[in-house]
Amino acid sequence: MKHIRELLMALLVLVTIQLSAQDMAHYKRIVRELSSAKYQGRGYARGGANKAGEFLRKEFVRAGADEVVCQPFKLDINTFPGRMKASVDGKPLTPGVDFAMREYSPGIKGTFPLYYVDTLDFQAEKVFKDLAMPENKDAFVVCDFWFSYKHRDVFRRLQSKDGCANAGLMYIWEEPLKFYKAYGEKVVDKAILWVPYSFPKDAKTITTDIENQFLKGYECFNVIAKVEGSRHDSCYVFTAHYDHLGNLGRKVFYAGANDNASGTAAIVTLAAYYAKNRPEYDMYFIAFSGEDANLRGSEYYANHPVVPLGRIKYLFNIDMIGDNNPTAYCEASDEGMRGFALFEQINREKHYFRALDRGELAANSDHYPFATRHVPCIFLENKHGDAFKYYHTIHDNWKHAVVDSYEPVFRLVRDFVGQYR
């Protein structure tokens, strides 16, 4: 009998390990798929985000969800899916490495002189006087970004067609260069480029052939999956955004393995888990689009929920967990603080993370529209590990993917659901 018990225990351990490995295999498959070239960075040009949304709809069905629906909404967004060429004094620049675009920049084509702002002896009126000289006609103004931010009233004039006759601006920024979409719902008067600190300090001209495409009323959709529980009076909600930054020209795209294929893959595997281990309460799994365009998908859902927000027992927003920092970052709504105490208790007992570092609530991901509507919620993120330096760069791809935080996050959330009352 002793040998039989030992054999059964060994088999149980083996099955547990295999199930865990299978979850990780499922997770990796989705991260790798979503960060592949076929989705072109899951942006709004070339249908990248919507193709990813259709993939996720099928994945939730495959995971065993009882219902899967798509919730359409529209947004206005500036994109760069076309020509993306630039050179300095005849030397070609590589998109995403040597330059990137501000999300609200128009396209621009031509050759332009470069005017470097003197930050040591800065005189605003001298800058405008210099730019009025014939040799600086249609110049690109080059300046350190943080200096320009300090003097933003002056630089707003330089960005306006009515403020000065310069062709555009080049802001010097840290490497690797980042790209954003949050304020891309408009196009400003003049082209604005990011360049790294390695940009030459004595270059004479820049030649550009850059094309933007403004999408008005572009239709996106949230993917909403439901796993039925035995009780329907309340529900848990698991969210993650699946959109990302898309293209920077025809050849360069931002894969977004960490941001946020990692969180999206996690909620799909959670859906699969609860489809096999039926929960007490209904479970909703929402993959949002439009997060990188200033939380458009989650804001739309919060205004048009499929179930009343007051029925949500707790909401988990999982974003950028593809990293290996032993400390997890969290934000909780006021109503979610009782739950946060339970998260800390579970983590102390199970040692999933060294600690849970709670920050101030901010409009930095899809939990925020719910937090402002008094929904108990938490934002789970893992940052400042080896993958964080690639955030919003072309290097956030499958090659640099990190999976260390997936299982601790999965287990922390699963244990919380099992204990929260």
Side-chain angles (χ1 to χ4, degrees), residues 19 34 42 45 56 95 111 179 193 286-287 320-321 349 356-357:
L19 286 173
L34 289 174
R42 306 189 304 281
L56 289 168
T111 297
F179 185 47
L193 281 66
I286 310 175
M320 289 178 58
I321 61 166
E349 293 171 353
L356 302 181
D357 176 24

Side-chain angles (χ1 to χ4, degrees), residues 237-241 260 263-264 267 284-288 298 301 315-319 365-367 370 378:
V237 178
F238 306 81
T239 74
H241 76 91
N260 184 36
T264 304
I267 69 167
Y284 287 87
F285 304 85
I286 310 175
F288 289 121
S298 53
Y301 179 91
L315 180 146
F316 313 86
N317 180 37
I318 305 176
D319 193 354
S365 191
D366 289 318
H367 58 292
F370 298 92
I378 191 168

Side-chain angles (χ1 to χ4, degrees), residues 47-324:
N50 288 348
K51 289 176 184 177
E54 178 58 22
F55 164 75
L56 289 168
R57 184 191 67 78
K58 294 176 181 177
E59 281 297 309
F60 279 121
V61 172
R62 182 177 178 178
D66 298 299
E67 297 176 16
V68 184
V69 298
C70 295
Q71 180 187 53
F73 65 95
K74 294 180 180 180
L75 53 77
D76 299 339
I77 195 71
N78 192 34
T79 66
F80 299 94
R83 297 185 301 275
M84 186 61 57
K85 294 182 180 179
S87 61
V88 170
D89 292 344
K91 180 182 178 181
L93 302 178
T94 302
V97 177
D98 300 319
F99 76 100
M101 306 302 297
R102 283 307 311 248
E103 62 268 40
Y104 43 70
S105 175
I108 187 168
K109 183 176 183 178
T111 297
F112 311 92
L114 296 175
Y115 174 84
Y116 292 81
V117 174
D118 184 351
T119 58
L120 297 178
D121 184 23
F122 179 69
Q123 300 175 46
E125 292 311 313
K126 182 179 183 300
V127 170
F128 288 102
K129 184 177 179 180
D130 287 348
L131 290 171
M133 294 180 178
E135 62 267 29
N136 293 322
K137 178 178 171 56
D138 293 331
F140 259 80
V141 177
V142 185
C143 186
D144 176 82
F145 171 75
W146 289 114
F147 184 88
S148 74
Y149 185 77
K150 181 179 179 181
H151 299 276
R152 51 192 174 274
D153 290 341
V154 174
F155 282 84
R156 285 194 189 102
R157 289 175 60 190
L158 292 171
Q159 289 179 192
S160 170
K161 64 181 178 181
D162 299 322
C164 190
N166 60 303
L169 296 102
M170 300 176 67
Y171 290 133
I172 301 172
W173 187 244
E174 64 193 33
E175 299 179 65
L177 288 177
K178 299 189 185 324
F179 185 47
Y180 297 94
K181 279 291 182 189
Y183 301 105
E185 76 280 358
K186 62 183 178 181
V187 177
V188 298
D189 294 338
K190 299 175 184 177
I192 304 174
L193 281 66
W194 296 111
V195 295
Y197 283 115
S198 58
F199 188 82
K201 305 300 186 291
D202 57 354
K204 303 300 182 184
T205 64
I206 182 170
T207 299
T208 63
D209 187 3
I210 295 170
E211 181 183 22
N212 77 307
Q213 182 183 17
F214 187 76
L215 304 176
K216 182 75 173 176
Y218 184 76
E219 188 167 290
C220 305
F221 56 89
N222 301 320
V223 183
I224 306 168
K226 179 183 179 182
V227 172
E228 290 189 359
S230 56
R231 294 180 58 176
H232 311 297
D233 54 318
S234 297
C235 64
Y236 286 100
V237 178
F238 306 81
T239 74
H241 76 91
Y242 69 86
D243 67 305
H244 193 46
L245 302 172
N247 312 90
L248 188 64
R250 292 170 178 156
K251 297 181 180 180
V252 174
F253 68 92
Y254 292 76
N258 182 21
D259 185 15
N260 184 36
S262 65
T264 304
I267 69 167
V268 174
T269 62
L270 280 162
Y273 172 82
Y274 285 112
K276 294 173 184 174
N277 302 273
R278 285 288 164 170
E280 180 181 4
Y281 293 94
D282 288 343
M283 303 285 195
Y284 287 87
F285 304 85
I286 310 175
F288 289 121
S289 190
E291 192 268 0
D292 272 298
N294 206 15
L295 314 184
R296 296 301 183 83
S298 53
E299 184 67 33
Y300 184 87
Y301 179 91
N303 287 322
H304 305 86
V306 297
V307 292
L309 299 184
R311 284 176 51 190
I312 299 176
K313 283 180 67 67
Y314 215 90
L315 180 146
F316 313 86
N317 180 37
I318 305 176
D319 193 354
M320 289 178 58
I321 61 166
D323 216 331
N324 56 8

Side-chain angles (χ1 to χ4, degrees), residues 38-54:
K38 73 172 68 173
Y39 303 107
Q40 289 292 293
R42 306 189 304 281
Y44 314 108
R46 301 187 185 177
N50 288 348
K51 289 176 184 177
E54 178 58 22

